[in-house]
Every structure is written in C-alpha cells, then in structure tokens.
Amino acid sequence: MAFDFASLVPAGSPAPAVRWTPPGKYNFTFGNNDPDGLAIEDIEAAAQAALSREGRRLSDYRLHTGPQGYKPLREFLVRKLKRDAAIDCTADDILLLSGSLQGLDLVNGALLERGDTVICERDCYEGTINRFTRRGVNIVGLPVDRDGMKMDALEQSLAALKAKRVRPKFIYTIATVQNPTATILSLERRKTLLLLAGQYGVPVFEDDCYADLTWDGQRPPSIYSMSKAENVIHLGSFSKTIAPALRVGFIVASWSLMSRLLPLKTDAGSGGLEQMMLAEYCAAHFADHVPQLRRRFRAKLDTLVAALNEQFGTAAEFDYPPGGIFLWVKLPDNVDAMQLRDAALKAGVVINPGPEWSVDKAYSRSRVRLCFASPTHDEIREGIAVLAEVCRNEFGVPARSANVERRAGA
Ligand SMILES: Cc1ncc(COP(=O)(O)O)c(C=O)c1O
C-alpha cells in the first residue's frame, strides 16, 4: 500500500489540494493577463540579448549583484517608480521577489504573529485574506466607497483598537485600483491615512500591483512617496503589466524593514533569467507596452459591461472601474454567490464568489468578481450569457435577458 503522509502533517496545515483539471471554457478568475497582449517577439529578443551579453551571470545564485536581485532591473525600477509613482529611492531600497506574493509572505513573516491585528479594505485580495487567516491574525476590514478606504472608519477603528490597547501591525491597502472593487484612494484620503498612521504609530503596507493600469494613465502619488517617516512598505509586480508566469515582483522598503526581510528570503534568489530579460525588455519597451495593454483591457471591460447590461439588465449593479482587470458586481440579494459559483462551474463558467474576496461574508454574499483580461471578447459575451442562464435557473434572476422576458428553465 502507498505510504500515506496525512498522519505526519501538522495540525492547522492548509487543506490538501485537489488535482488540477483544466478550467471551464469561460474563465473569469485568476487575474491572468491577455495572451494576445504579450509582445512575444520583443520578449524573445530581450532574452536573447541579455543572455548573449550577460548569460555567464547565471552561474552565480545571485547573478553577481547581491541578495536584492539583478541590479539593472532595480535601476529600471528606480526610474519607473520616480516617473509613475513619485517615489524617490535607490536600487538599495528595492528587493526583487518571486512574484509580489513572496513580498506578502516576507512582510507577514517579519511582522505578524498569531493574535495580531491588521487593518485592510473590507473587500480584499483573496491571497491576502488567506495569508492573514492562516497566520491566526485578526482582520479588521474597512468599507470603501469610490474614493477608496473610508477614513472616518479608519479613524474610528484605530481609536477603538487603541482603547482596547491593541496596536495593529499595519494597514494593508491596495490603494490604486483596489482588488476587487477597483477603487482608487483619493489624494486627500492618502494624506489623512498618513496622518492617522503617524498618530497611531501604525505602518502602511501599500500593494500597488494594478497602479499602471488606469485607463487615463493617471494615478495619485503612491502613499510611499508621500510619507516622510519611512513608515510605508511599497509592493509592486510585473504580473499585471507584463506576465504573471515570470514570477517577478518587488518591494521598496527602508533598511529598518529590508534588513528583516532579507534573512527570511531563504530561496537563494529569484529566477535570474526572468530578471535579466525584464531589465532588457522594460528599459526599451515598458513605456510603450503598458498604454496598449490598457487599451486592450478597457475594450474587454466594455464588452463585459455590454454583455452584463444585455444579459442581466438591472440585476447586475456595478461602478464602471477606472482601470484594472476585474469588475465587482452586485447581484440581487437572493443570489448566493457561492451557490452560483458551483452551478456556473458545472456549465463551464468560472467566477470568484464575493465571500472569498471579502472579510465581511454577509456583505459580499451576493457579489461576484469577474476578471476580464484573459478571456476573448467572444468568450466574455458567451460566458456572461451562460452565467445569466445559470443564475436564472438557480435564483429566478435576471428575469429578462437580451430584452426578452424569461422564466427559470425556459
Ligand atoms: C492585490 C494583489 N497583490 C498581489 C498579487 C500577487 O501577484 P504576483 O503575481 O506578483 O505574485 C495579486 C495577484 O492577483 C493581487 O491582486
């Protein structure tokens, strides 16, 4: 009989994985990029140029540029972050990562212990919520409106925690094109956030991976750039602008934190070829590539919005997002998004149910997140039509699709 490892797995470990099966035909999950948006020839040329010039560096775990990652890529980031996010930093303030998820793990590993408290937006990236939960951390989720996290709620929450002698370890915020609400924290609120953070002695953890994807290319300055107190951690990624499978992200932090992160990055360095290729590619093409990607995403969003309007009518409520790759949709109150997810899956449509993307399971019960970057325009149209049919069969809504009155099962 095959050896069973289950009895050796420590209590509290994550549930075992199920074997991978290909996703449904209509996949609105996972935050993947657009396969047609990749400039494969330029990427290939960049890899080739980097390899023929500097391929010998791959003989060293750290590419001969130390534990913080390939220096030319960090130098590109210094210029990019200055131009786009108003950040003044040097290559020594940047640590290259195996995806920004590694940054979440490193910061959490450096700062959190069981029983700690963190503050974040009420609806929040699943990967962040799961990481906090796994570490046994208390999560305080704050409401957002179109201008991002509500500062009166933050102030109340900080005051209430202080009254209980609780000092949160940090305020985690996806301030610029939030996941899943796609809201952007206004400049005024960024100022208030920093004021409150300073007043209560709580650092801010800014996860900025969608910030390049606003439709008009405009964004408020990063929170990191606005702080004079070195109390902000800035996290970024190449996943959403170039390609997630490269697994390259980065963190910008003061030495006081960086010196705590480095000992925890025990993988002896992130993938070298990816970093070398990105440095080569980004220096020449990043500034031109991103605007065309934004146009692609926006066109897909418009297809999604048209499909939802046609198939769901007023049964699907949402704010038109200012950028990003997903739409946060409110369905009628009787729709249970978890049940809808399961039923849709059987019909080949994959969606993210709200409760998995929110700290507040009741608030998010009838909400779903739809990613639109990866499916084609046809898949978006067809997938939303199938989703509407499934939703009608399960919950009786939407009553009309494509301006035709329908009955469940009809
Ligand atoms: C808010 C947020 N942070 C981090 C990540 C992880 O990205 P990466 O591919 O850089 O690890 C994601 C991915 O969807 C995300 O939405």
Side-chain angles (χ1 to χ4, degrees), residues 99-101 104 125 172 174 179 207 209-210 237 239-240 244 247:
S100 60
L101 282 175
L104 293 179
Y125 173 45
Y172 171 87
I174 311 165
N179 185 359
D207 188 341
C209 66
Y210 298 100
S237 176
S239 291
K240 310 302 171 180
R247 307 309 301 130

Side-chain angles (χ1 to χ4, degrees), residues 30-32 97-104 124-128 131 172-174 177-180 207-210 235-240 243-245 247-250 325-326 357 369:
F30 231 90
N32 282 323
L97 305 161
S98 305
S100 60
L101 282 175
Q102 187 177 42
L104 293 179
C124 181
Y125 173 45
E126 184 198 32
T128 300
R131 278 171 169 73
Y172 171 87
T173 175
I174 311 165
V177 190
Q178 205 262 347
N179 185 359
D207 188 341
D208 218 35
C209 66
Y210 298 100
L235 186 65
S237 176
F238 288 97
S239 291
K240 310 302 171 180
R247 307 309 301 130
V248 182
F250 57 91
I325 56 171
F326 31 72
W357 295 78
R369 190 188 80 140

Side-chain angles (χ1 to χ4, degrees), residues 26 179 233 305 344 408:
Y26 306 108
N179 185 359
I233 308 159
V305 166

Side-chain angles (χ1 to χ4, degrees), residues 141-219:
L142 300 182
V144 301
D145 61 17
R146 283 182 193 189
D147 286 332
M149 185 189 281
K150 293 182 74 171
M151 287 301 118
D152 51 350
L154 177 62
E155 188 164 12
Q156 276 165 23
S157 157
L158 285 167
L161 288 167
K162 189 173 181 186
K164 289 192 277 181
R165 297 187 200 289
V166 175
R167 181 176 164 198
K169 278 291 173 70
F170 51 73
I171 302 161
Y172 171 87
T173 175
I174 311 165
T176 313
V177 190
Q178 205 262 347
N179 185 359
T181 62
T183 52
I184 297 179
L185 190 70
S186 69
L187 182 60
E188 274 315 302
R189 288 196 189 174
R190 283 169 200 243
K191 290 181 190 163
T192 310
L193 171 64
L194 280 172
L195 210 69
L196 291 170
Q199 213 171 309
Y200 285 88
V202 180
V204 178
F205 187 1
E206 172 180 46
D207 188 341
D208 218 35
C209 66
Y210 298 100
D212 289 318
L213 299 179
T214 58
W215 307 141
D216 59 4
Q218 302 296 311
R219 55 156 301 168

